[in-house]
Amino acid sequence: MSDNYSNDNKSKLFSNIWKIADELRGTIDGWDFKNYIFVFLFYRYISENIANYIKQTEDDDFDYSKLDDSQISEDIVSSIVNEKGFFIYPSELFCNVLEKARQNKEEINTILKNIFNKIENSAIGTESENNVKEIFMDINLTSQNLGETLIIRNQYILKIMEIISTLDLGEFTDSNNDVFGDAYEYLMGLYASKAGKAGGEYFTPQEVSKLLTLLAIGNKQKVDSVYDPACGSGSLLLQAGKILGSENVKKGYFGQESNYQTFILCKMNMFLHNINFSKFDIRRGDTLLEPKHSLDSRYEIIVSNPPYSKVWPGKDDPLLINDERYAPAGILAPSSKSDFAFIMHSLYLLDEKGKAAIVCFPGIFYRSGAEQKIRKYLVDNNYIEAIIALPENLFYGTSITTDIMVMSKSKQDNKILFIDASKEFIKETNQNKLTEENINNILNTFLKKKESEHYSKLVNIDEIIKNNYDLSVSNYVESNEVKEVIDIKALNKEIQEVSNKVNELRKNIDLIIKEIDNE
């Protein structure tokens, strides 16, 4: 996809999202209305995707949307479900339902509800059931928030569908086409005060996702699998496919998410990126306490931006210290700060030939207590490959600085690379942003293990041990901020001269006052 295409369509996309936001202003909470945008975006996409898929087997003049439902045999339905994971009859396609809605607004919510149920039900009893199950459950077409009466609610639904119908979704097979990600980021910007932590969500900007994934991939041309233990809407998982090509992620994408809304969005996002149901496995639940994927599994690429300082049971649950993921460190992450629990979980599931790149809160690298003991375990066993300090204000909903930790189980040396990338950004409106140049600077430094004054340094583990396992980047990479060198002798002399002048002024003032008094 060309830059011109990308910029033009992003502008149109943002303009149309704003139209929807403007239509629903005062009706649906600004951040919550994202569900309506994504459900109808998803519905339109899968309608056109399945119609295009069927057309590939027919002549150029074939139009699936013009067929009568009675022309579709059970064998065709079964074949399509086995390939795509779901089925949509011609009358149920987005374009045909939109036309019906224009003619008959009164029944649109009932029609849509029935169609969404039928799409989900088409997967029951098949391999795709878990990936399609409940995918439309997070939209309430009869919500009072849409309007007091049925007519008003249906008018809003029609307006949303009309605007979604004007979007240019681009080529389905274009891995760089990320309408979902662009829309999500735009909404985050519109509602930044609620973004980031709304409903427990932590969204990773696309350029940060790209950097994380490039660090984990390194020089590889293909990988077995990608995993994210706190996958959110799936933006991090999908980066590997964008970078390598989805055919080069052989076993697919695996993730877990505790928030129900975000879990559903993640499954939608997989379909929106034309990922076949057989190549993704997204589960819902608390990863730290109830990991849904087998602990016998190993993943070549692990990328994650887990919630910062999330509360978890920690030592209050006596069984956790015996958990095979946490036991090796001999201590649990503090109950008020689960950051290292996510790190230990990721390390456990990391393949011997793989890498994990994780966004971290800087405090975990210098605090004492349990966190220091876990750092000791990671350093002593030579699992940490790099610590990278990122610029502040990269994430929506928070201006805090963050770091990236890269881990590996097959390091070739006993050193850790520290990179101070805190100045690698451009200012964009209220957010800082990583450019392609910024990303390349960081990546090249990491891949080449390059040392550069005021930017990066390779530090032997012995030095880190002497530093009490403090892994703060600022301890090892000296800032390039110019510090004024003060000449104490010259300063004292200057102070003395000023003092002498003050004393001389006081004497002169005293003489003047005395003369005035004698007059």
Side-chain angles (χ1 to χ4, degrees):
M1 182 172 62
S2 69
D3 289 339
N4 186 52
Y5 176 93
S6 176
N7 291 334
D8 286 349
N9 281 274
K10 279 187 181 183
S11 178
K12 291 175 184 175
L13 171 67
F14 299 159
S15 175
N16 281 313
I17 291 174
W18 174 250
K19 286 180 185 177
I20 298 174
D22 198 41
E23 289 285 354
L24 298 181
R25 185 182 299 174
T27 304
I28 298 176
D29 178 84
W31 181 237
D32 288 341
F33 93 88
K34 71 183 183 303
N35 297 325
Y36 290 87
I37 291 178
F38 291 133
V39 166
F40 283 108
L41 176 64
F42 173 71
Y43 173 41
R44 182 192 156 192
Y45 173 86
I46 61 173
S47 293
E48 295 179 15
N49 183 272
I50 206 164
N52 280 2
Y53 174 77
I54 294 172
K55 183 176 182 177
Q56 290 173 9
T57 63
E58 306 292 339
D59 58 53
D60 292 341
D61 295 329
F62 178 82
D63 188 345
Y64 179 67
S65 68
K66 303 298 184 185
L67 295 184
D68 189 273
D69 290 359
S70 62
Q71 296 176 262
I72 311 299
S73 69
E74 286 299 317
D75 287 343
I76 291 175
V77 173
S78 178
S79 174
I80 300 297
V81 170
N82 287 337
E83 183 60 35
K84 302 299 292 183
F86 55 88
F87 187 79
I88 306 176
Y89 281 94
S91 67
E92 300 166 353
L93 296 172
F94 180 94
C95 60
N96 287 333
V97 174
L98 175 58
E99 190 57 39
K100 289 178 189 173
R102 289 168 178 156
Q103 306 301 322
N104 183 6
K105 299 185 184 71
E106 286 74 16
E107 297 181 10
I108 184 58
N109 63 338
T110 303
I111 292 171
L112 282 167
K113 183 178 180 181
N114 289 335
I115 289 172
F116 292 165
N117 286 338
K118 287 181 70 177
I119 294 172
E120 289 183 12
N121 291 341
S122 71
I124 291 176
T126 71
E127 293 181 10
S128 62
E129 180 174 356
N130 287 334
N131 286 338
V132 179
K133 185 180 179 181
E134 298 182 339
I135 205 159
F136 289 105
M137 287 292 288
D138 203 35
I139 183 170
N140 185 353
L141 298 172
T142 60
S143 171
Q144 292 289 321
N145 288 333
L146 277 172
E148 291 183 2
T149 67
L150 177 63
I151 293 175
I152 293 174
R153 291 196 288 272
N154 284 340
Q155 284 175 342
Y156 275 127
I157 291 171
L158 176 59
K159 285 178 182 177
I160 295 171
M161 291 185 71
E162 290 281 13
I163 295 171
I164 291 292
S165 72
T166 66
L167 299 180
D168 186 346
L169 300 185
E171 294 296 329
F172 298 126
T173 56
D174 185 350
S175 63
N176 292 315
N177 182 23
D178 195 0
V179 176
F180 182 96
D182 292 337
Y184 209 123
E185 286 206 23
Y186 181 69
L187 287 167
M188 296 290 273
L190 276 180
Y191 301 101
S193 63
K194 287 198 171 188
K197 291 187 179 180
E201 295 172 283
Y202 288 81
F203 180 77
T204 309
Q206 293 180 62
E207 67 275 6
V208 179
S209 298
K210 183 176 182 178
L211 172 61
L212 272 176
T213 309
L214 286 168
L215 290 167
I217 290 174
N219 294 313
K220 295 178 179 178
Q221 300 301 310
K222 58 178 63 178
V223 297
D224 283 332
S225 54
V226 184
Y227 173 69
D228 185 347
C231 63
S233 59
S235 62
L236 268 169
L237 285 173
L238 289 161
Q239 278 293 335
K242 293 180 185 179
I243 293 167
L244 296 173
S246 214
E247 70 280 4
N248 293 316
V249 183
K250 291 182 286 185
K251 293 180 182 177
Y253 310 82
F254 302 81
Q256 186 164 334
E257 172 58 37
S258 61
N259 179 268
Y260 179 72
Q261 288 185 342
T262 320
F263 161 71
I264 295 297
L265 288 178
C266 186
K267 293 202 293 184
M268 284 186 185
N269 207 3
M270 293 292 142
F271 282 112
L272 280 165
H273 284 80
N274 213 21
I275 306 298
N276 189 272
F277 69 88
S278 63
K279 290 195 68 174
F280 71 87
D281 184 1
I282 309 301
R283 308 286 184 91
R284 184 185 173 213
D286 188 323
T287 303
L288 300 182
L289 303 179
E290 295 181 293
K292 299 296 185 179
H293 297 92
S294 171
L295 293 181
D296 292 329
S297 301
R298 295 294 178 268
Y299 303 98
E300 189 170 353
I301 298 298
I302 297 180
V303 283
S304 190
N305 177 18
Y308 313 133
S309 301
K310 177 186 174 184
V311 173
W312 80 308
K315 64 182 180 181
D316 294 335
D317 183 344
L319 298 178
L320 284 175
I321 193 59
N322 296 317
D323 189 301
E324 56 197 300
R325 297 168 293 165
Y326 314 126
I331 194 167
L332 296 168
S335 57
S336 61
K337 303 174 183 70
S338 63
D339 309 65
F340 268 118
F342 278 103
I343 289 169
M344 291 296 294
H345 169 87
S346 297
L347 178 65
Y348 186 81
L349 294 180
L350 182 63
D351 186 84
E352 291 292 334
K353 62 181 179 181
K355 281 185 173 63
I358 303 171
V359 178
C360 304
F361 178 66
I364 73 169
F365 294 125
Y366 60 77
R367 290 192 292 243
S368 58
E371 291 178 314
Q372 182 186 40
K373 291 176 182 176
I374 298 175
R375 292 198 304 271
K376 180 181 186 303
Y377 166 76
L378 296 174
V379 171
D380 287 350
N381 286 277
N382 204 21
Y383 289 134
I384 301 176
E385 190 164 343
I387 307 289
I388 303 166
L390 295 178
E392 63 182 3
N393 204 30
L394 284 179
F395 296 86
Y396 293 101
T398 178
S399 61
I400 64 170
T401 59
T402 53
D403 290 355
I404 294 174
M405 179 166 67
V406 183
M407 294 192 296
S408 170
K409 289 181 176 178
S410 56
K411 284 177 62 182
Q412 301 300 308
D413 58 30
N414 62 344
K415 297 180 179 181
I416 297 176
L417 178 67
F418 292 86
I419 302 175
D420 182 0
S422 58
K423 301 296 187 292
E424 292 276 13
F425 69 92
I426 59 168
K427 188 77 174 175
E428 247 189 32
T429 60
N430 295 324
Q431 295 291 132
N432 292 334
K433 189 177 181 70
L434 297 175
T435 65
E436 285 295 318
E437 182 181 0
N438 297 143
I439 291 171
N440 289 334
N441 288 342
I442 298 168
L443 182 64
N444 289 334
T445 299
F446 172 75
L447 293 177
K448 296 175 182 177
K449 297 295 183 285
K450 186 168 61 178
E451 290 190 294
S452 179
E453 188 176 11
H454 305 306
Y455 189 75
S456 60
K457 186 178 179 182
L458 269 171
V459 180
N460 195 288
I461 284 176
D462 291 339
E463 183 178 342
I464 293 168
I465 293 172
K466 289 177 183 177
N467 242 347
N468 293 318
Y469 297 94
D470 191 315
L471 295 173
S472 302
V473 173
S474 59
N475 274 355
Y476 305 100
V477 181
E478 185 181 356
S479 172
N480 64 350
E481 293 180 3
V482 178
K483 294 181 180 180
E484 185 180 358
V485 178
I486 299 173
D487 186 330
I488 298 298
K489 290 183 179 180
L491 180 61
N492 286 335
K493 182 179 179 182
E494 187 177 338
I495 292 172
Q496 187 60 52
E497 289 175 354
V498 171
S499 179
N500 291 339
K501 287 180 181 179
V502 170
N503 289 334
E504 187 66 30
L505 283 171
R506 283 175 177 166
K507 288 180 183 178
N508 290 336
I509 291 170
D510 288 342
L511 286 173
I512 292 170
I513 292 173
K514 188 174 181 181
E515 288 177 3
I516 292 172
D517 289 341
N518 290 333
E519 288 180 356

